[in-house]
Amino acid sequence: MQPRTRYSVDLHRRELIASWGTGEGDLATRIAALPDGAGTSTLLGLARTLSQLSDAAWRTYTRPASAAPSLEPNSEGRRREEERKAFAEVAGAITGPNLPSGGAMVVSYSHLTESANRIGRALHDLDDSDLTKAVLTESATELAAVESAELGNLTGRAQQAVLLSREDASPVQVAAADHLLQQDPFGPAELFLAVDPTATAVAAAHCLAAAAEVAAEVSGEHPTQVVLEADNIEALPHKTPTLVLGLIADGATPHQAVTGLVRHAMHITDGVLPDPTALREQLHDLEETLGDYTDEDEPDLEDIELRLTPLDPKRPARDLLEDLLAGIHGCWLLHSEHASLDTDEDLGRAEDWDDEQAEEHQRRSRDRFAQRVHETAAQHHDRLI
């Protein structure tokens, strides 16, 4: 399940609590005092519906209309667009919810609006004006956090966006991540603490392409194969970086390569197979490979596992980001293996280095590599826009 603000009840203090994740850990705050006479089940129902509202609100962020293939009537893009517009209905649904009448009750098609109605019905049963005011303020705070994240401002409650995978990437966040990677292409900690992971992965894919070009110049390998070659030096998660490099070499932008992979993984998480034709081709290739290996015309696939996505479906954007940064590290390994050591003549012969000299050589090697990557990335900056 994707992280979002979680609401709970402190029965000892009789308080409603909200907590949410950040890149460094979870934060919590007190929302309101709870009425003494209310039963535990009723209070937990209120907390549960608030969590559902948060989940529905953040889903409009992780699956924006801009990432849908169409905004035509009755399309997924139009449905997402309408769900985002429902932010304006939340306060009214909380204060004036649909209530049972004549044995029936109106239920909204919008997950967000219906969650707000459920909150309103819970508050109606509790009949506490101070609690209602506090919940209205809290729901406004949560929606404002989503809006802030949409604008690329991941401060305050919007910090939880650094834990989310998103089908699209904010240009503001891509620029912020690119700025951090210009200073340190190996990935400073701030990338995981302050920037949306899908946007960061877009900037990292651009940086990886530059790093692969730098490594290819000195190693003689093709840029799409450098991470795979570096795996012979140090064990690396080379499959995904190599896939991204191949996509960029075939003409995809870093944005297209990254958002395509993340979107595909998110669909798998939702239980949807977005491209059955590609799966059929994948199965055909697997059968051919097994047939060649076993010399059987119809090899048995019963005990064979097949990944539906190269990414971790529980955290696709952050998983992709980690693999791309590992790919950049691999490019440095290959570059260091082949680059001339002439600039380190003052350190003496490599076989005579002590630990301090070896560390100094490694620092210089990383600095030289980082500078070359920065220069190469700047030359191709147009592919990031």
Side-chain angles (χ1 to χ4, degrees):
M1 180 181 291
Q2 290 277 21
R4 38 77 170 147
T5 299
R6 299 163 298 282
Y7 296 86
S8 56
V9 174
D10 184 331
L11 291 175
H12 177 69
R13 295 177 180 271
R14 304 293 294 182
E15 292 178 347
L16 180 66
I17 307 295
S19 63
W20 59 93
T22 73
E24 297 180 277
D26 285 5
L27 294 174
T29 188
R30 174 187 180 275
I31 302 302
L34 295 169
D36 292 331
T40 300
S41 180
T42 303
L43 297 177
L44 290 175
L46 174 62
R48 183 174 62 255
T49 54
L50 279 165
S51 295
Q52 291 169 348
L53 178 76
S54 174
D55 189 58
W58 280 104
R59 190 176 178 86
T60 68
Y61 171 78
T62 60
R63 294 164 174 80
S66 61
S70 170
L71 295 178
E72 294 295 319
N74 299 318
S75 67
E76 172 65 13
R78 180 62 65 87
R79 188 199 66 77
R80 293 182 181 188
E81 198 173 57
E82 293 302 316
E83 185 74 347
R84 178 59 182 81
K85 291 178 181 178
F87 274 38
E89 302 173 6
V90 168
I94 291 175
T95 55
N98 295 327
L99 299 173
S101 176
M105 184 173 63
V106 175
V107 176
S108 174
Y109 280 108
S110 163
H111 293 298
L112 186 72
T113 304
E114 183 55 28
S115 295
N117 272 285
R118 291 174 181 173
I119 293 170
R121 288 193 284 271
L123 291 170
H124 179 269
D125 292 340
L126 288 165
D127 192 23
D128 186 303
S129 60
D130 289 339
L131 178 59
T132 297
K133 291 177 183 177
V135 168
L136 277 171
T137 299
E138 169 58 23
S139 63
T141 298
E142 188 70 5
L143 296 182
V146 177
E147 293 169 342
S148 178
E150 289 173 336
L151 296 173
N153 179 9
L154 306 190
T155 58
R157 184 78 66 91
Q159 280 181 291
Q160 60 189 290
V162 304
L163 301 175
L164 300 171
S165 294
R166 192 175 191 232
E167 290 186 4
D168 203 354
S170 159
V172 174
Q173 289 286 295
V174 173
D178 182 55
H179 177 71
L180 291 170
L181 286 166
Q182 286 177 26
Q183 300 173 58
D184 179 6
F186 297 100
E190 289 85 349
L191 284 177
F192 295 91
L193 302 178
V195 193
D196 173 279
T198 302
T200 306
V202 171
H206 170 61
C207 188
L208 172 63
E213 186 175 327
V214 171
E217 288 175 358
V218 299
S219 68
E221 299 288 338
H222 192 276
T224 60
Q225 298 300 306
V226 292
V227 179
L228 184 61
E229 185 64 25
D231 183 59
N232 294 321
I233 303 173
E234 179 182 309
L236 296 167
H238 57 81
K239 290 185 179 180
T240 304
T242 300
L243 173 60
V244 170
L245 287 171
L247 291 171
I248 293 175
D250 289 341
T253 65
H255 183 279
Q256 291 168 337
V258 165
T259 56
L261 287 171
V262 172
R263 185 179 304 121
H264 183 275
M266 291 176 66
H267 287 175
I268 296 297
T269 305
D270 288 340
V272 177
L273 186 61
D275 192 352
T277 301
L279 177 62
R280 185 164 56 238
E281 293 174 355
Q282 194 176 357
L283 285 169
H284 177 71
D285 291 344
L286 178 61
E287 277 191 304
E288 283 194 342
T289 301
L290 284 175
D292 292 340
Y293 181 75
T294 62
D295 200 27
E296 298 176 1
D297 292 334
E298 295 184 5
D300 184 9
L301 301 181
E302 185 174 344
D303 297 325
I304 301 298
E305 293 184 350
L306 183 67
R307 287 189 64 92
L308 297 179
T309 168
L311 307 180
D312 181 347
K314 297 185 294 296
R315 50 192 293 278
R318 285 176 75 88
D319 184 47
L320 176 57
L321 173 59
E322 290 165 2
D323 284 356
L324 294 176
L325 294 176
I328 294 170
H329 172 73
C331 291
W332 167 69
L333 289 175
L334 196 62
H335 182 271
S336 181
E337 184 97 342
H338 291 86
S340 170
L341 302 179
D342 292 345
T343 55
D344 288 345
E345 288 181 349
D346 59 300
L347 296 177
R349 296 186 306 173
E351 56 266 29
D352 297 330
W353 288 344
D354 57 23
D355 288 346
E356 186 176 338
Q357 289 171 313
E359 289 178 5
E360 176 61 16
H361 164 70
Q362 185 180 71
R363 184 191 65 77
R364 294 182 184 184
S365 172
R366 287 170 68 90
D367 287 348
R368 286 195 297 270
F369 176 76
Q371 181 59 34
R372 288 288 296 117
V373 170
H374 174 67
E375 294 168 355
T376 305
Q379 293 171 5
H380 300 290
H381 194 263
D382 57 316
R383 69 184 169 200
L384 190 57
I385 301 173

